Amino acid sequence: MSQKLLDVENLTMKFGGLVAIDNLSFSADKDKITSIIGPNGAGKTTVFNCLTGFYKASAGSMFLNKENERLNLRKFSDFKVAQKAGVARTFQNIRLFPQMSVLENLMVAQHNKLMDASGFTILGLFNSPSFVKKEKEAVGISKYWLDIIGLTHRADDDAGDLPYGDQRKLEIVRAMCINPHLLCLDEPAAGLNAKESAELNKLLLFIKNEKKTGILLIEHDMSVVMEISDHVVVLNYGKKIFQGSAKETKNSPEVIEAYLGTEE
Amino acid sequence: MEKKFFQTSIKDSLFTGLIALALFGPIVGLRTVAKNEVLEVHPKWFIVLIIVIVCAVGRFLTNLYVYNRDQKTGIQTSIGKSISNFLDTKGYQIALTAIIFSVIFPFLPFTDRYLMDIAIMMLTYIMLGWGLNIVIGLAGLLDLGYVAFYAVGAYSYALFAIHFGWSFWICLPIAGIFAAMFGVLLGFPVLRLRGDYLAIVTLAFGEMIRILLLNWYQLTKGPDGLTGIPRPSFFGLPFKSFPDEGEQTFHTFFGIEYDPMQRIIFLYYLILVLALITNLFTIKIRRLPIGRAWEALREDEIACKSLGVNPRNTKLTAFAIGAMFGGFAGSFFATRQAFISPESFTFIESAIIVAIVVLGGMGSQTGVVLATVFLIGLIEVFRDFESYRMIAFGGAMVLIMIFRPRGILATRKPTITLEKSSSK
């Protein structure tokens, strides 16, 4: 069997009587961008919330295949999905730490690594050389990402003071700072103008090609979806109605029907 | 525009006068006096009139000079800006001056027993404020029952010192550990709570500890309190005017006259050192991963989870470390007073400490000091006018909230900066 990065099998999520996701199966490749699209309320964000441990799925399994282990994401609860399995995510409404500086935002993302290095704070209190070294490395990683999104000059400003488009980019690189295997982006292009969308595409392609990180993308902005997706999964009412390449999706009658309705 | 503003201000102040009349009319104006077993009403309308005028005129003036956003020279912006600019640029020098001043304070010519007592009390509050600042200011967990940890520290110190005769320096860490354990105990059930719900539970926790101390008579002697708590000694040398046979005391060891001030001065330095340790610890830990995680948790818990930060451990450490410093301060309190009873640990103490942290500016270490000096100092200045103390206290809070709505010092400095760490 081919090694996919993520295998979602028969995932079902019920809220009381409401079936938000109905027996959904799909997979995402390493170093590929997989888009999940669908009309409003199709259950896209719910899929993310199940994947990243914010919801506990009612049934099904989600396997993350690392080099030599196969983890069932259902077994991890909220923060452990990021900590142990390496699945990072961003949010539909940006969730930065607005009153902390840009650099601090990226440092918090490297918390677990630094926490170990600080010997549960005790070594850190005494400035042990190993901790100082690790902290410097972490600053280096943060600076690397800030250089990529061109925000190095604002590193010490409050994250909440950045323009909207920069906040989006910062949230994405913050998620990258946990060094994830899979990056889940919830509508990263929402509210961006054409130029910012183009920059976003560049950033996502960089992450895919250079970092070999699998990207799972929820998006409404079709210019983003069509331009960079390798694979598209279309949801409607919690069910998968289509999957294929971007081009195939564009021409699929089922998808057009889901979005525009049927011709009478 | 100008004229219209003037008109609305007058309307607004008249309205304020009306509210003041409705409030103070019955409360202040109608005074009941029992005379010959008959209750008579003695109206005091003149005082009510004065209060109403003061309220209306005060409102008018604040409207004109404080809340007037058209006028760029409004007092609020100018005073606020100059204060924060001054403190921003000269922060380091101010802190240094304050520390030097507090070190030489006991030997200044005008320092007497009364001032020393106030200084010790202020330092205790400063230490409590710094401890609570970890929980409220950094981790953003509104804790209204902080006095519980103060009480746990005081009682565990007192019990260990009385029953086992252990010295201050052994009992101090034990009291801190006990308080930290209670911090974790409180932390577990409230892990999922935030904001107002958390405030209610912590408030109840504070009361529970007090009521427990009041009713567990076998252990705590209930309302009678614990007496005979050993005084601290100077590295084994007690402060006594009449030493027992063959006993070395502080004044015989150093060959100086006995003076009751010696003990007071020692206590002063003791709390100064404890408070400074609290401060240094907080400043340092803020720059460590755990401190940054606390602040991140205050900002956005869901984002923290998505980055793999364990919210449970992070919150519990904040509660535990904050409580530990409360416990240290409690043991100091016990050894200073030599007598403790549940009466010292009422809700008003928690409220004062929370007020100090909030008015100082959440998370600001210097702000805590300023707020303490301001609030406790004010209470002391009004000591002779017993019944006006709380009015002064309330008035001070109102003033701070008008001029500095986010606390005296609201600016936050990043814990790590790119320039500094790359130039290292």
Side-chain angles (χ1 to χ4, degrees):
Chain A
M1 184 183 157
S2 71
Q3 266 300 10
K4 298 276 189 184
L5 176 65
L6 175 77
D7 283 317
V8 174
E9 287 161 13
N10 309 321
L11 180 70
T12 301
M13 180 75 211
K14 290 179 187 161
F15 297 104
L18 178 80
V19 183
I21 306 172
D22 192 3
N23 219 2
L24 173 71
S25 301
F26 69 94
S27 53
D29 267 322
K30 206 170 88 174
D31 61 51
K32 289 266 163 61
I33 295 178
T34 307
S35 290
I36 302 178
I37 65 169
N40 284 330
K44 304 179 298 277
T45 301
T46 310
V47 173
F48 266 30
N49 282 338
C50 290
L51 274 174
T52 50
F54 281 86
Y55 291 160
K56 211 149 183 51
S58 312
S61 51
M62 301 166 284
F63 288 104
L64 187 80
N65 299 306
K66 294 198 198 174
E67 271 134 43
N68 39 24
E69 44 180 348
R70 185 172 159 86
L71 299 171
N72 190 351
L73 293 181
R74 265 190 85 183
K75 289 191 180 144
F76 297 97
S77 61
D78 50 29
F79 72 93
K80 286 199 179 121
V81 175
Q83 186 188 21
K84 300 269 198 295
V87 177
R89 74 170 290 182
T90 65
F91 296 86
Q92 209 167 340
N93 42 344
I94 305 175
R95 283 185 178 277
L96 289 170
F97 307 120
Q99 291 190 43
M100 298 175 80
S101 78
V102 171
L103 180 61
E104 283 175 311
N105 267 274
L106 300 184
M107 295 296 279
V108 172
Q110 302 174 60
H111 174 79
N112 288 312
K113 185 173 68 182
L114 287 171
M115 199 64 191
D116 289 344
S118 76
F120 298 100
T121 335
I122 295 157
L123 289 176
L125 276 179
F126 300 104
N127 272 338
S128 86
S130 62
F131 171 68
V132 174
K133 191 169 149 244
K134 273 275 183 225
E135 189 175 48
K136 239 182 193 170
E137 275 172 27
V139 173
I141 292 172
S142 309
K143 186 164 181 304
Y144 167 81
W145 282 109
L146 287 177
D147 284 339
I148 286 171
I149 57 170
L151 281 182
T152 317
H153 63 290
R154 301 210 61 176
D156 301 332
D157 294 345
D158 281 0
D161 293 345
L162 292 181
Y164 188 80
D166 287 344
Q167 291 196 15
R168 282 265 178 226
K169 283 194 278 186
L170 180 62
E171 200 191 14
I172 294 170
V173 297
R174 186 182 68 178
M176 283 307 293
C177 276
I178 77 169
N179 207 6
H181 295 271
L182 177 69
L183 177 65
C184 303
L185 302 173
D186 198 345
E187 296 199 23
L192 300 189
N193 62 30
K195 182 172 158 273
E196 288 168 330
S197 288
E199 282 173 9
L200 178 79
N201 285 354
K202 236 175 73 189
L203 175 65
L204 296 186
L205 289 174
F206 173 82
I207 290 171
K208 173 184 108 168
N209 296 329
E210 303 296 318
K211 295 289 147 191
K212 306 287 177 211
T213 305
I215 296 181
L216 207 56
L217 182 75
I218 291 178
E219 192 47 73
H220 276 302
D221 186 335
M222 285 303 146
S223 71
V224 174
V225 174
M226 294 305 155
E227 215 167 290
I228 61 172
S229 305
D230 300 296
H231 191 74
V232 179
V233 177
V234 188
L235 295 187
N236 198 13
Y237 298 113
K239 287 195 177 100
K240 184 170 78 180
I241 56 170
F242 186 82
Q243 67 176 341
S245 71
K247 203 170 168 198
E248 288 162 8
T249 310
K250 213 188 309 188
N251 300 324
S252 147
E254 294 103 313
V255 177
I256 295 171
E257 189 191 312
Y259 271 91
L260 301 176
T262 41
E263 272 180 73
E264 292 293 326
Chain B
M1 181 71 203
E2 188 67 18
K3 198 178 163 196
K4 199 178 169 206
F5 178 75
F6 208 73
Q7 272 177 355
T8 46
S9 295
I10 287 187
K11 238 188 230 167
D12 186 51
S13 52
L14 285 178
F15 186 63
T16 311
L18 265 181
I19 292 177
L21 184 67
L23 269 178
F24 292 104
I27 295 173
V28 180
L30 301 174
R31 183 164 190 182
T32 50
V33 179
K35 218 180 207 177
N36 307 331
E37 295 179 27
V38 182
L39 215 53
E40 287 181 7
V41 176
H42 289 223
K44 298 166 90 180
W45 297 121
F46 185 65
I47 295 180
V48 174
L49 184 71
I50 292 176
I51 292 176
V52 168
I53 290 175
V54 166
C55 287
V57 172
R59 178 73 186 183
F60 184 66
L61 290 178
T62 47
N63 267 340
L64 223 51
Y65 294 109
V66 180
Y67 293 125
N68 188 351
R69 303 230 178 264
D70 301 334
Q71 229 170 305
K72 281 282 181 231
T73 49
I75 298 181
Q76 187 184 27
T77 43
S78 59
I79 289 187
K81 264 200 189 125
S82 54
I83 291 178
S84 57
N85 270 347
F86 180 67
L87 290 168
D88 267 357
T89 49
K90 301 266 192 259
Y92 183 70
Q93 286 95 321
I94 294 173
L96 203 67
T97 325
I99 289 171
I100 291 173
F101 176 75
S102 35
V103 168
I104 59 168
F105 178 75
F107 303 107
L108 292 177
F110 56 83
T111 306
D112 55 7
R113 172 76 199 258
Y114 171 66
L115 277 182
M116 283 299 283
D117 278 342
I118 294 181
I120 289 174
M121 189 169 85
M122 276 189 186
L123 280 170
T124 316
Y125 276 111
I126 289 174
M127 180 170 174
L128 286 168
W130 278 338
L132 186 60
N133 211 357
I134 295 176
V135 185
I136 294 187
L138 296 185
L141 304 161
L142 183 53
D143 183 353
L144 292 184
Y146 193 61
V147 78
F149 308 122
Y150 191 42
V152 168
Y155 269 87
S156 44
Y157 170 79
L159 290 170
F160 277 106
I162 291 172
H163 293 298
F164 298 102
W166 292 346
S167 85
F168 178 78
W169 297 108
I170 297 173
C171 292
L172 182 76
I174 294 178
I177 290 168
F178 260 82
M181 273 161 43
F182 272 79
V184 174
L185 196 71
L186 166 67
F188 257 111
V190 301
L191 277 175
R192 287 160 181 277
L193 304 180
R194 279 192 84 76
D196 15 14
Y197 299 99
L198 178 68
I200 294 169
V201 177
T202 52
L203 185 117
F205 182 77
E207 285 301 285
M208 270 161 57
I209 296 288
R210 192 177 61 85
I211 292 168
L212 188 80
L213 293 174
L214 208 54
N215 289 294
W216 195 353
Y217 195 83
Q218 295 88 332
L219 185 72
T220 65
K221 296 264 164 54
D224 303 344
L226 289 170
T227 49
I229 303 166
R231 297 286 198 171
S233 55
F234 185 82
F235 300 104
L237 299 169
F239 297 91
K240 271 188 195 170
S241 52
F242 303 107
D244 299 336
E245 198 65 34
E247 193 187 18
Q248 279 280 39
T249 65
F250 182 76
H251 69 280
T252 55
F253 184 81
F254 286 99
I256 46 174
E257 280 290 296
Y258 174 76
D259 184 345
M261 276 297 274
Q262 284 162 357
R263 200 187 72 232
I264 306 290
I265 292 175
F266 174 68
L267 282 173
Y268 174 83
Y269 280 123
L270 186 60
I271 186 66
L272 183 65
V273 168
L274 286 176
L276 285 179
I277 288 174
T278 313
N279 188 23
L280 288 179
F281 183 87
T282 313
I283 290 176
K284 179 71 198 167
I285 205 164
R286 214 187 130 225
R287 299 192 182 133
L288 291 179
I290 182 74
R292 235 172 267 137
W294 287 339
E295 291 199 79
L297 206 65
R298 175 193 70 199
E299 298 282 298
D300 196 325
E301 187 169 339
I302 289 178
C304 274
K305 280 187 195 166
S306 80
L307 297 173
V309 176
N310 184 336
R312 184 190 64 215
N313 292 359
T314 313
K315 277 189 191 176
L316 287 183
T317 44
F319 271 121
I321 291 177
M324 183 180 75
F325 285 114
F328 289 155
S331 11
F332 173 80
F333 179 75
T335 191
R336 179 176 95 112
Q337 300 279 334
F339 164 77
I340 48 171
S341 75
E343 247 171 68
S344 314
F345 307 106
T346 49
F347 171 67
I348 189 73
E349 295 294 323
S350 292
I352 290 177
I353 306 165
V354 170
I356 285 171
V357 173
V358 173
L359 296 182
M362 303 262 232
S364 164
Q365 298 289 94
T366 327
V368 167
V369 179
L370 293 177
T372 312
V373 172
F374 194 55
L375 291 182
I376 305 296
L378 211 71
I379 291 182
E380 279 309 313
V381 168
F382 277 83
R383 181 170 283 282
D384 296 336
F385 316 97
E386 191 64 44
S387 39
Y388 295 100
R389 275 170 83 181
M390 279 300 141
I391 291 187
F393 190 72
M397 287 202 197
V398 170
L399 282 182
I400 294 181
M401 283 294 117
I402 288 178
F403 290 112
R404 303 288 291 160
R406 288 174 61 208
I408 298 175
L409 280 179
T411 46
R412 174 187 179 279
K413 285 223 173 81
T415 55
I416 189 166
T417 56
L418 199 54
E419 284 151 44
K420 257 193 203 157
S421 34
S422 51
S423 65
K424 244 185 231 168

